Amino acid sequence: MRVKSTNAAECAGPRVHAAHLRLDHDVDVHSHDAVELALVRDGRAVQRSADDVTDIRSGHLLILAPGSRHSLESNRLLTTNVFLDPTLFADELSWITRVPGWGGAVSPEPRAPRPVLTLDVDDRTPQLAELFDELAAGTGRSRDLGTGVFEQYALLFAAFSVLEPLVSATVSHSEQRGYRATVEQAVELMNNSLDHPWTLSSLAAEVALSPSQLSRVFVADTGSSPMSYLQTLRVERLASLLRTTELSVAGAARAVGWHDPGHAARRFRSRWQCSPVQYRERFR
């Protein structure tokens, strides 16, 4: 059986791409470099992946991460597929990898073999179909994605929110995170108390390690230093507060531990390439 590779640059265009696909033939074993969400709209297929053989039908959603491999024995399968450049989950969408269940499902670090997560989304299908259709309509046009990137992220946030309970129930937190206990504890402390004036020393003391020990194991498990990880958490939480609450920009910044508005604005712009005010206006 022939092995094919799906290249993220070919599938995802700049960073996000969605399309309606019809498969009226079998698809040989192939691997994925992009993160792919495939919503089955019609038809049936037999999927063979690294650890399972699954009957695929309308109302199923496939989540394929970098390193996933599968084949399909298709009976005129109609799907709407969203292709996401894995780098999105290392920056703008990195918060998703810390939601229980999502880490292993969309982690940008490829490892093989990797299972395909298959969800039964039955009653959520109309809502997801509407969101995916909007993504397909937008990313299918020839246009500067810079003008539509916030609209794309808003649609993605909505889709992930719909799927979050299903993913969390399907995949255990411990299986997906895979962090050692001390790193898990440090991440939880920062997540739960973002407004605390954390330093490397104070965080290390909380998990009973020296600062150098914590740095070493934290980088090994997350690829980031503890303080860099903290800044990422803060800037992503600030973005979430701007999207979902009526807090002032200064109030939202204080809620994540940034009491200097200028510092908060610089940190925010370095991640999102716009000011907090401009970001909020995009979602109004």
Side-chain angles (χ1 to χ4, degrees):
M1 195 173 272
R2 162 167 100 256
V3 176
K4 299 178 181 178
S5 176
T6 301
N7 185 280
E10 294 174 353
C11 288
R15 303 195 82 187
V16 179
H17 181 66
H20 304 295
L21 303 177
R22 179 174 290 280
L23 297 176
D24 54 8
H25 55 81
D26 294 347
V27 179
D28 289 341
V29 175
H30 60 288
S31 60
H32 288 254
D33 294 336
V35 173
E36 182 177 340
L37 309 179
L39 179 64
V40 181
R41 310 289 288 269
D42 192 22
R44 304 185 74 91
V46 175
Q47 173 182 250
R48 301 181 188 275
S49 62
D51 61 349
D52 203 3
V53 177
T54 311
D55 289 323
I56 303 299
R57 58 164 177 79
S58 176
H60 280 168
L61 178 88
L62 312 182
I63 302 178
L64 303 109
S68 294
R69 290 170 47 137
H70 69 155
S71 66
L72 293 168
E73 298 170 13
S74 174
N75 183 10
R76 299 186 63 81
L77 198 66
L78 177 64
T79 64
T80 303
N81 294 43
V82 178
F83 303 94
L84 304 169
D85 188 313
T87 60
L88 282 167
F89 298 96
D91 41 58
E92 284 94 337
L93 302 180
S94 62
W95 60 272
I96 292 172
T97 66
R98 289 186 284 275
V99 176
W102 278 107
V106 298
S107 170
E109 295 299 327
R111 63 179 188 270
R114 206 163 185 186
V116 178
L117 186 58
T118 303
L119 302 177
D120 188 342
V121 297
D122 272 337
D123 59 343
R124 295 173 172 83
T125 299
Q127 188 176 1
L128 288 170
E130 181 178 354
L131 295 168
F132 282 22
D133 286 346
E134 288 189 53
L135 280 167
T139 62
R141 303 189 188 108
S142 295
R143 66 179 188 176
D144 176 7
L145 288 183
T147 62
V149 68
F150 285 98
E151 290 81 359
Q152 290 175 17
Y153 289 162
L155 292 169
L156 289 172
F157 293 150
F160 284 123
S161 295
V162 172
L163 292 170
E164 181 183 330
L166 293 175
V167 175
S168 298
T170 302
V171 186
S172 75
H173 184 53
S174 61
E175 287 176 340
Q176 291 303 321
R177 287 289 293 277
Y179 296 161
R180 68 197 76 193
T182 50
V183 175
E184 187 88 27
Q185 183 183 359
V187 169
E188 186 174 357
L189 285 166
M190 289 187 288
N191 262 306
N192 291 341
S193 303
L194 275 182
D195 59 341
H196 184 79
W198 291 110
T199 64
L200 179 59
S201 295
S202 64
L203 187 61
E206 289 288 339
V207 297
L209 292 178
S210 70
S212 61
Q213 287 173 323
L214 176 60
S215 291
R216 185 170 62 253
V217 298
F218 204 97
V219 170
D221 279 11
T222 70
S224 172
S225 71
M227 293 299 99
S228 292
Y229 196 95
L230 175 63
Q231 299 310 316
T232 298
L233 289 178
R234 283 175 167 163
V235 76
E236 289 171 353
R237 184 73 61 80
L238 176 54
S240 177
L241 291 174
L242 293 174
R243 292 194 307 270
T244 61
T245 75
E246 297 301 321
L247 286 171
S248 67
V249 171
R254 286 193 298 272
V256 302
W258 285 332
H259 295 270
D260 179 347
H263 176 78
R266 289 191 295 275
R267 287 284 186 178
F268 194 90
R269 184 176 290 276
S270 69
R271 170 53 62 89
W272 300 102
Q273 288 76 55
C274 66
S275 72
V277 172
Q278 291 169 327
Y279 182 91
R280 170 169 270 175
E281 288 174 349
R282 292 280 189 170
F283 289 92
R284 295 301 186 188

